[in-house]
Amino acid sequence: MPFTLRPMTEEDARRLCEWRYPEPYDRYRWPAWEEMAKEGREFADPDIRAKQYVSFADAKGELAGYAQLFPLDRAVRLGIGLRPDLCGLGLGPEAILLAAREARRRRPDADIDLEVETWNERAVKAYKKAGFVVEDEYGKRAEHGIVRVLCMVWRERSPGPDRGAAE
């Protein structure tokens, strides 16, 4: 399923707040839109949404996921989410590559990195497949408590004779 990137609309943002993931991934769901909008939080803030968020659209133009491209001093930190029914189908590497390439386009000299909780083996596998490598591990405060995270950095690869489309 090929994805395309588009600017995140308010409608996309509202729909993200309706997504419900099964345990243990339910910790990644967003609060209700009304709460997000009242607080001006993340993609509910039109300025933050325009500068940092993009949506993944499927072949039919339907919302399939999103990416946050959070600017840091010398890096762009990615955050990725796929629609719950698309998770676990092997689509993560394609989505993360699209986001990484967009981050590279926006800031050619910046490192591209992300954080992932250590228990989330499904995501770690997808990120590695997309060319991310573990650079560090540390504790971090999250809404659901102190968690162990891996910081992974994108190591862009060019296609070579031993790299096929199956990667």
Side-chain angles (χ1 to χ4, degrees), residues 33-52:
W33 174 256
E34 294 74 21
E35 181 182 334
M36 297 272 294
K38 180 180 175 185
E39 296 174 4
R41 185 171 169 193
E42 295 292 338
F43 49 74
D45 178 308
D47 190 48
I48 293 173
R49 184 171 60 245
K51 290 179 181 174
Q52 295 182 22

Side-chain angles (χ1 to χ4, degrees), residues 69-137:
L69 301 110
F70 186 80
L72 298 170
D73 184 34
R74 292 185 298 259
V76 176
R77 176 145 303 151
L78 301 181
I80 301 289
L82 286 179
R83 201 172 63 219
D85 64 305
L86 298 178
C87 292
L89 301 178
L91 302 171
E94 178 185 342
I96 194 68
L97 271 174
L98 269 176
R101 289 176 181 143
E102 177 63 13
R104 173 70 66 230
R105 185 190 70 75
R106 291 181 183 199
R107 291 195 48 206
D109 297 328
D111 285 334
I112 311 300
D113 72 9
L114 54 81
E115 292 175 325
V116 58
E117 292 185 39
T118 55
W119 66 266
N120 194 343
E121 294 174 14
R122 182 172 76 182
V124 171
K125 181 179 174 185
Y127 299 147
K128 284 181 176 179
K129 216 171 186 181
F132 283 78
V133 296
V134 175
E135 289 280 317
D136 200 3
E137 180 178 338

Side-chain angles (χ1 to χ4, degrees), residues 12-43:
D12 289 346
R14 286 174 179 269
R15 290 183 60 206
L16 296 179
C17 294
E18 298 169 0
W19 289 358
R20 296 295 176 256
Y21 296 95
E23 289 185 11
Y25 305 100
D26 58 335
R27 65 186 66 192
Y28 298 127
R29 75 171 172 232
W30 291 101
W33 174 256
E34 294 74 21
E35 181 182 334
M36 297 272 294
K38 180 180 175 185
E39 296 174 4
R41 185 171 169 193
E42 295 292 338
F43 49 74

Side-chain angles (χ1 to χ4, degrees), residues 144-156:
H144 48 279
I146 302 293
V147 296
R148 296 294 300 168
V149 297
L150 301 174
C151 181
M152 301 180 74
V153 178
W154 190 40
R155 299 291 181 234
E156 236 170 317

